[in-house]
Amino acid sequence: MKPRPETEAARGFGAAENDLAAARHLHQGGFRSLACFHAQQAAEKAVKAFLYAQGAEDVRGHSVANLLQDAGTYSADLARVYAVGAALDKFYIPTRYPNGLPGGTPMEAFLDDETIRAIAQADQVLVAVRGLLWTDDGTGCSGS
């Protein structure tokens, strides 16, 4: 049985919120590269949730910017966070792999201000998507 779009959207957005909470927790613990990665993941999952809400069935890819471009076919409102998504994409590979950077390791390379910015950027994406998914009282998915 095919899952309902609003069910998939709720599952995906819940995962996005969990990743954003993890990013905040990791930042507090000093795990900056991992916090940046989870911020990127939060945004990625939020945009995928929006796409699922629109009835998309095969949502693939890890680029927040590319996913936002796809989402833009359903809502021009998401265009305002495109640059934010592109900035978050920089945290997908280099934050996780020791050889993802020309030198050093992720745990050495990412600074506190980058982590704070990544979390704030992910939050921007989640706020934008949340506003399109649910009604003002927090109930009901406003997807297709």
Side-chain angles (χ1 to χ4, degrees):
M1 186 165 145
K2 183 173 127 179
R4 296 178 58 200
E6 53 275 1
T7 302
E8 285 305 295
R11 286 172 21 132
F13 199 80
E17 291 178 314
N18 191 60
D19 272 318
L20 187 55
R24 288 184 173 117
H25 183 74
L26 288 162
H27 173 252
Q28 289 173 344
F31 299 97
R32 295 180 304 273
S33 62
L34 293 174
C36 289
F37 172 70
H38 280 279
Q40 185 278 339
Q41 286 290 282
E44 177 185 326
K45 291 172 185 176
V47 180
K48 285 180 176 181
F50 174 79
L51 290 167
Y52 284 125
Q54 306 317 304
E57 294 180 20
D58 189 26
V59 180
R60 295 183 188 257
H62 301 287
S63 167
V64 179
N66 288 349
L67 291 165
L68 283 166
Q69 194 168 29
D70 292 346
T73 62
Y74 300 103
S75 172
D77 290 344
L78 290 177
R80 65 184 171 86
V81 292
Y82 178 84
V84 171
L88 284 166
D89 282 344
K90 296 174 186 170
F91 298 119
Y92 183 64
I93 298 288
T95 54
R96 298 182 298 149
Y97 300 107
N99 63 351
L101 297 164
T105 64
M107 64 187 165
E108 300 163 335
F110 292 91
L111 305 174
D112 198 53
D113 64 326
E114 290 175 294
T115 307
I116 292 167
R117 187 170 48 252
I119 291 168
Q121 289 169 328
D123 192 49
Q124 279 183 271
V125 174
L126 268 70
V127 166
V129 170
R130 184 183 297 113
L132 294 170
L133 285 180
W134 286 278
T135 58
D136 288 340
D137 64 3
T139 60
C141 184
S142 63
S144 60

